[in-house]
Amino acid sequence: MDYLRVSIEYLSAGANRQTAAADWNEDGIVAFGADSNVALWRPLVSPPKGITSLLSGHENAVKAVRFLPKSEGQSTAHLVTGGDDQCLKLWTISDGASSCTQTVHDHTAAINCIAALHQRGLPPSTSSIFVTGAADASVKVWLFDGDQVRLLQTIKTTPKFFPLSIALSTLGHDGEGLVMAVAGTRDIVQVFVASSRTNPEFHLQATLSGHEGWIRSLDFTWETGDPGSDLILASASQDKYIRLWRFHRGKELPPVATNGAGQSMGAFLPGKSPSNKAHRLQAAENYFTITFEALLLGHDDWIYSAKWYLDPSTGKSQLLSASADNTLAIWEADPSSGIWVTTVRLGEISREKGATTATGSTGGFWTGLWSPNGSSVVCLGRTGSWRLWDYSKEQDQWIPHVGISGHTKAVTGITWSKNGDYLLSTGADQTTRLHASWNKGSGQGTWHEMARPQIHGYDLNCIDSLGNSKFVSGADEKLMRVFDEPKAVAKLLSRLCDIGNEHVETMPDAANMPVLGLSNKAIEAVDDDLEVQVANPETDREALDPGSTVRKSALEMDHPPFEDSLSRHTLWPEIEKLYGHGYEISCLAVSHDGTLIASACKASSINHAVIRLFETEGWTEVKPPLTAHALTTTRLRFSPDDRYLLSVGRDRQWAVFERDSNDKLSYKLLQSNPKGHSRMILDAAWAPSTDSLIFATAGREKQVKIWRRAPVDTPDAGIICTTTIPETHPVTAIDFLHGKSTNDTLRLAVGTEIGKLSIYSIDEISLNISSTLNLGPE
């Protein structure tokens, strides 16, 4: 028996578009929600390895992620997560492994936000306090004692609203009194105070008004590192403004507020001037006042997050804001006047000119995070991808670096290029992505998304490669689209991944998508100094978006493309559409010699459940279509020598078609089995052997069956089931390893509905299982 050693080479996942779904701890780990998983990423390691591991356990989307502060000398990190499954999970993360140590079901609706009390300047403690806000209109206060999480207090919001953001801090530098700010689906910020940190009980003491929209983010900071400095609260809202509030110790108002000349009193706010009403708080014997400090204007759309960074060396506070207007801004108080100004603006020019969140745009940045030392920032964009900037002291500017990206919804199809150089994936997020290994330069051997060939208007269902530089995909529409690689992407893959292509000079320069169209058009790259005229899409349907015009130098880079290049400059031109089906495409397959495309569509009758064949020379349909199924075909596979075509479907049957020996484009039914499985068949795969007909099918009834063609001279002539592999959950995907191992063993990979992966070693002669390897997350 030979032994397999399997390790994870590459993890790709898009982040959930939630403001509170990410956090960056002092160990340099960014944790973020990726659907029902929590992904861990170290942005500052070199070479950039992307996601290092996925934590599985939640049953629905993760919406809130927060690291708990470490106590002194503690090596493990603790992470608290919550989401749409209403449960709160505590994770322990160490260098060796990560595990869920506790799950709490106290909320009765989705958990939206989590805030932790950071012990900055406080005596070290093994326990820490954190709070959660949920869509059951409640805020819960928790104590983590270093081992378990315990509920201390439940607060119902009055007047009722759903908390979207919470901030927690000590009121004074002595650390005794605690203050909590809560905001969400109303235009107010509620301030709760607890007199004791050891046994906190929060009471509502002030309500801050002024915003004119839902409040998406709250964050506390000390104004300076001095013991007597004031506490500053930032609140970011959908009204496009950030408001700063000053918490001052004592019954007297802070000096600026008393003379009525606040920093922002001269700021222009349409309709009314900001109120400077003072709110008073009491924690035990100490008194505090809250006054409106400043109004930050500068964003053109909803503001999703605002995060403070206090530089311990200079004592200067900086505020990082992320907005739906596709910009990330860093704000500082001017040293002489005290007025808050934008010192840095990062991001991109919006593709949808004039489109805002209010008019249905899903663009923009959903959250921004500071690195622990304040020299780097990351932000999450609408495509689920992370962008990373590092501050360079030599150049005195923020330099973009390679981030990570991935699908934001279910991945529905994957395929290797015919020579195995790169991987194509397609998904319900309406994108097709190309992944390859960065083999040259500083990212030696790390995998990245290198191109985004298709950005569509329909959910994509299936994909297959057509040679080494073409692919065909099917979506929730009645046609398939064929794409050809552009010159810009081919040169990029050659330069970074050492993937050669002899037809580079005959390729189109690049591709672009008309503003009102779905078909990527081949275009010529323009010179860098050429000015592109803005066209009106209402009068010209073929008008090209100037924001996505490809310059000749656009992809001449020595690193994987950043997100703005991926979404604009790496599209592949569409060269053909294949019509014939009456409903949405469900599956397709390309023959190994590249001469045929087989496809099927969603169907509820025999008339529509046909398999259509298209030849790839003239792109015409080979008639008549193949009939066998009565319901939707879920998978099509050509045998390794293209002699057979296998189809499986929701009607529980499989069918094998054999190629006509005289006409290579024609197939006819060899055998079908209407009762192949007792429930619908979801996937199928051919064994790599060409001298005998062997294939596997996977069913909803938690079984994988291996079929073989019996010898002609036996009583059971035909294709019969020889081996059945039971699984614990419905099997959704299977595939054989191409090529045989040295001792005539077949390798079959099996994936189930809950994400479990197994590799079975199967003896080629008896088809019995010789060994099983279960793959778990690293």
Side-chain angles (χ1 to χ4, degrees):
M1 179 189 288
D2 57 340
Y3 292 94
L4 286 176
R5 184 180 178 279
V6 181
S7 61
I8 292 177
E9 181 77 5
Y10 173 55
L11 290 170
S12 173
N16 296 338
R17 296 194 301 206
Q18 302 288 340
T19 300
D23 197 18
W24 197 340
N25 77 345
E26 56 248 42
D27 295 333
I29 301 173
V30 171
F32 63 89
D35 194 62
S36 60
N37 299 308
V38 179
L40 303 182
W41 169 43
R42 292 181 178 270
L44 303 181
V45 299
S46 184
K49 293 187 185 300
I51 297 172
T52 55
S53 60
L54 289 173
L55 310 180
S56 303
H58 282 283
E59 295 176 1
N60 217 320
V62 177
K63 299 175 81 171
V65 172
R66 183 70 65 183
F67 281 102
L68 298 179
K70 272 187 172 184
S71 57
E72 207 168 318
Q74 188 179 346
S75 58
T76 58
H78 294 284
L79 178 71
V80 180
T81 61
D84 282 339
D85 58 0
Q86 306 176 10
C87 70
L88 188 72
K89 285 186 176 288
L90 173 69
W91 307 82
T92 301
I93 299 171
S94 59
D95 291 337
S98 305
S99 61
C100 178
T101 54
Q102 189 181 358
T103 302
V104 184
H105 296 269
D106 270 30
H107 281 290
T108 57
I111 298 172
N112 292 330
C113 48
I114 302 173
L117 178 66
H118 282 271
Q119 327 261 355
R120 208 172 287 120
L122 299 179
S125 169
T126 55
S127 65
S128 56
I129 294 167
F130 67 94
V131 289
T132 57
D136 54 10
S138 74
V139 174
K140 291 183 184 289
V141 184
W142 308 81
L143 177 72
F144 172 62
D145 59 10
D147 182 37
Q148 292 284 305
V149 166
R150 181 164 54 90
L151 180 64
L152 297 179
Q153 185 184 2
T154 299
I155 302 167
K156 286 287 182 183
T157 55
T158 310
K160 184 177 179 179
F161 66 88
F162 299 151
L164 297 177
S165 182
I166 300 178
L168 190 61
S169 174
T170 54
L171 257 176
H173 283 268
D174 56 5
E176 256 316 294
L178 300 181
V179 61
M180 175 173 66
V182 181
T185 56
R186 284 184 181 266
D187 55 6
I188 55 172
V189 180
Q190 292 191 337
V191 179
F192 295 81
V193 174
S195 299
S196 166
R197 185 164 69 97
T198 51
N199 189 22
E201 187 169 341
F202 286 93
H203 297 281
L204 177 64
Q205 292 204 11
T207 299
L208 311 180
S209 58
H211 281 294
E212 295 179 343
W214 288 8
I215 296 162
R216 290 281 183 166
S217 185
L218 296 168
D219 200 24
F220 280 113
T221 187
W222 296 104
E223 187 176 26
T224 64
D226 300 334
S229 69
D230 290 346
L231 192 64
I232 305 290
L233 171 69
S235 59
S237 168
Q238 291 179 185
D239 63 8
K240 307 176 190 177
Y241 300 122
I242 298 171
R243 287 173 176 261
L244 303 185
W245 311 85
R246 179 180 292 273
F247 288 63
H248 179 69
R249 187 163 193 155
K251 292 185 177 181
E252 300 297 319
L253 295 179
V256 174
T258 52
N259 60 26
Q263 295 172 5
S264 62
M265 291 304 102
F268 171 69
L269 181 66
K272 55 184 176 180
S273 62
S275 162
N276 204 26
K277 177 188 173 185
H279 303 266
R280 301 189 183 275
L281 308 177
Q282 183 179 357
E285 304 301 316
N286 299 316
Y287 293 89
F288 299 85
T289 61
I290 309 174
T291 50
F292 176 68
E293 174 73 8
L295 183 72
L296 277 51
L297 311 94
H299 284 295
D300 300 325
D301 206 342
W302 293 7
I303 302 172
Y304 281 115
S305 82
K307 296 279 184 189
W308 287 107
Y309 175 71
L310 177 62
D311 191 332
S313 58
T314 62
K316 182 175 69 173
S317 291
Q318 292 177 298
L319 183 68
L320 177 72
S321 62
S323 167
D325 63 5
N326 281 314
T327 61
L328 200 65
I330 297 177
W331 307 78
E332 290 179 18
D334 183 81
S336 54
S337 66
I339 294 174
W340 286 83
V341 292
T342 309
T343 56
V344 178
R345 193 172 283 267
L346 308 167
E348 65 176 65
I349 305 163
S350 176
R351 288 187 70 167
E352 300 96 354
K353 293 193 182 301
T356 65
T357 310
T359 59
S361 166
T362 56
F365 296 156
W366 287 74
T367 194
L369 298 173
W370 289 100
S371 66
N373 62 4
S375 63
S376 303
V377 294
V378 293
C379 80
L380 168 63
R382 64 186 171 132
T383 54
S385 55
W386 286 96
R387 301 162 199 245
L388 168 66
W389 287 272
D390 283 344
Y391 178 68
S392 168
K393 285 187 177 178
E394 295 77 25
Q395 302 176 46
D396 191 27
Q397 64 181 18
W398 290 82
I399 310 296
H401 288 272
V402 177
I404 55 174
S405 60
H407 288 282
T408 56
K409 292 185 180 177
V411 179
T412 53
I414 52 173
T415 181
W416 291 96
S417 63
K418 289 304 178 190
N419 56 10
D421 282 339
Y422 57 80
L423 179 71
L424 289 164
S425 64
T426 199
D429 62 355
Q430 307 183 348
T431 64
T432 297
R433 299 168 189 250
L434 185 153
H435 313 263
S437 175
W438 182 11
N439 293 329
K440 294 183 175 179
S442 57
Q444 197 73 30
T446 57
W447 280 76
H448 303 270
E449 184 181 344
M450 292 291 180
R452 200 164 297 162
Q454 186 181 9
I455 300 174
H456 205 38
Y458 292 98
D459 291 3
L460 291 152
N461 296 328
C462 45
I463 189 170
D464 206 351
S465 55
L466 196 60
N468 295 323
S469 59
K470 292 186 180 73
F471 73 87
V472 55
S473 67
D476 278 345
E477 53 181 350
K478 300 175 185 178
L479 64 146
M480 291 174 288
R481 299 172 187 267
V482 183
F483 296 85
D484 194 7
E485 187 177 19
K487 193 183 296 181
V489 173
K491 288 183 175 179
L492 177 77
L493 294 178
S494 172
R495 191 165 55 250
L496 298 183
C497 311
D498 214 7
I499 298 174
N501 195 311
E502 61 272 18
H503 306 297
V504 171
E505 293 311 316
T506 60
M507 293 176 174
D509 280 357
N512 204 331
M513 187 185 291
V515 177
L516 297 178
L518 289 175
S519 301
N520 299 352
K521 303 289 185 186
I523 59 167
E524 289 186 16
V526 300
D527 291 325
D528 292 3
D529 53 358
L530 182 72
E531 187 175 336
V532 180
Q533 297 298 318
V534 179
N536 183 2
E538 292 183 8
T539 57
D540 181 7
R541 273 191 66 89
E542 299 299 307
L544 295 177
D545 179 6
S548 59
T549 303
V550 178
R551 306 281 178 180
K552 284 189 174 172
S553 64
L555 291 179
E556 291 177 4
M557 52 185 71
D558 60 357
H559 55 78
F562 298 140
E563 177 60 28
D564 50 350
S565 294
L566 278 173
S567 57
R568 296 181 183 192
H569 302 146
T570 63
L571 285 173
W572 288 23
E574 184 183 307
I575 58 171
E576 199 62 51
K577 294 182 181 72
L578 303 177
Y579 296 92
H581 290 288
Y583 290 95
E584 298 92 336
I585 306 296
S586 63
C587 60
L588 59 84
V590 176
S591 62
H592 294 84
D593 60 8
T595 59
L596 276 178
I597 299 171
S599 62
C601 71
K602 295 178 182 176
S604 56
S605 67
I606 296 175
N607 294 340
H608 289 290
V610 296
I611 299 162
R612 298 186 186 273
L613 299 178
F614 297 85
E615 51 88 15
T616 59
E617 195 171 322
W619 305 107
T620 58
E621 185 181 346
V622 180
K623 294 190 175 181
L626 308 178
T627 57
H629 295 280
L631 296 174
T632 303
T633 302
T634 54
R635 192 72 151 120
L636 292 165
R637 299 294 284 261
F638 283 95
S639 63
D641 59 356
D642 292 332
R643 185 179 168 190
Y644 303 103
L645 172 63
L646 170 64
S647 68
V648 296
R650 295 172 66 91
D651 57 0
R652 310 176 185 184
Q653 78 164 319
W654 56 256
V656 175
F657 301 88
E658 187 174 17
R659 189 169 60 191
D660 191 320
S661 56
N662 300 320
D663 181 4
K664 288 196 171 185
L665 298 179
S666 177
Y667 283 77
K668 61 179 183 294
L669 183 65
L670 173 67
Q671 185 180 335
S672 66
N673 187 333
K675 295 181 180 179
H677 284 255
S678 60
R679 297 187 67 185
M680 67 175 76
I681 307 177
L682 299 175
D683 202 4
W686 286 97
S689 170
T690 54
D691 48 356
S692 63
L693 189 152
I694 301 172
F695 64 86
T697 55
R700 173 70 76 188
E701 84 281 21
K702 309 175 187 177
Q703 285 186 344
V704 176
K705 293 186 177 183
I706 300 176
W707 307 80
R708 169 187 266 162
R709 190 179 198 172
V712 181
D713 54 354
T714 59
D716 297 329
I719 302 169
I720 57 173
C721 177
T722 58
T723 306
T724 299
I725 304 172
E727 282 285 349
T728 55
H729 290 82
V731 182
T732 51
I734 57 173
D735 200 17
F736 278 99
L737 177 68
H738 303 300
K740 281 182 281 186
S741 61
T742 52
N743 55 359
D744 290 333
T745 302
L746 302 173
R747 309 283 192 203
L748 178 66
V750 175
T752 68
E753 194 175 62
I754 61 164
K756 178 192 167 194
L757 284 171
S758 305
I759 296 178
Y760 293 94
S761 297
I762 300 166
D763 182 79
E764 188 184 356
I765 298 167
S766 66
L767 294 185
N768 292 327
I769 298 168
S770 56
S771 66
T772 305
L773 176 66
N774 292 319
L775 304 183
E778 288 197 339

